[in-house]
Amino acid sequence: QVQLVEFGGGSVQAGGSLRLSCKYSGSTASAACMGWFRQAPGKEREEVVRIAPDGTTDYADFAKGRFSISRDNAKNSLYLQMNKLAPEDTAVYYCAADRGVAGRVGWARCAKTDFRTWGQGTQVTVSS
């Protein structure tokens, strides 16, 4: 089992940047596949981006060109750099992890996996 804790949320003006961090502990095998999700008030949770052990990523359209995911396995940390933030990016952002699909490697392991471990979330508020 893996535990996740997010850091770095806050308030920023439109056009600004924030960097979210997610520290994971416990079974690192359970964090082979990782991702960031968000949930805005009154809306369903949506995926922002996911990353596989080989570094392959898949971004939601709204995140392409503005957000960047990275991971530092030596520090057991996942990051989300968010630039050119807009008021519609206001949401609680969640870090997620999963072992991925058994028997698969690389992107195939993570492409369709349902994330089963979640952090507590961190609030991001963007004002106009």
Side-chain angles (χ1 to χ4, degrees):
Q1 191 71 4
V2 65
Q3 293 78 44
L4 307 173
V5 180
E6 299 98 336
F7 303 93
S11 297
V12 64
Q13 288 192 326
S17 298
L18 279 176
R19 188 191 194 211
L20 305 183
S21 300
C22 173
K23 183 80 172 179
Y24 54 94
S25 59
S27 170
T28 55
S30 297
C33 307
M34 299 200 74
W36 289 98
F37 290 72
R38 70 183 188 182
Q39 187 166 20
K43 295 187 177 181
E44 293 189 356
R45 186 170 60 196
E46 61 181 349
E47 182 171 332
V48 178
V49 59
R50 67 176 62 195
I51 185 168
D54 64 358
T56 303
T57 58
D58 184 29
Y59 289 87
D61 286 344
F62 66 79
K64 292 177 181 177
R66 298 191 302 132
F67 294 3
S68 178
I69 190 172
S70 60
R71 66 191 297 174
D72 185 337
N73 292 328
K75 295 182 178 180
N76 284 4
S77 293
L78 182 75
Y79 306 100
L80 182 66
Q81 178 66 42
M82 303 186 294
N83 300 323
K84 300 178 182 179
L85 285 162
E88 52 266 35
D89 294 316
T90 294
V92 177
Y93 283 72
Y94 297 90
C95 174
D98 197 79
R99 289 180 173 271
V101 177
R104 301 285 183 89
V105 298
W107 181 242
R109 182 173 183 177
C110 303
K112 301 294 184 181
T113 193
D114 292 323
F115 290 91
R116 286 169 282 188
T117 302
W118 297 84
Q120 82 288 352
T122 185
Q123 177 70 45
V124 171
T125 302
V126 185
S127 58
S128 57

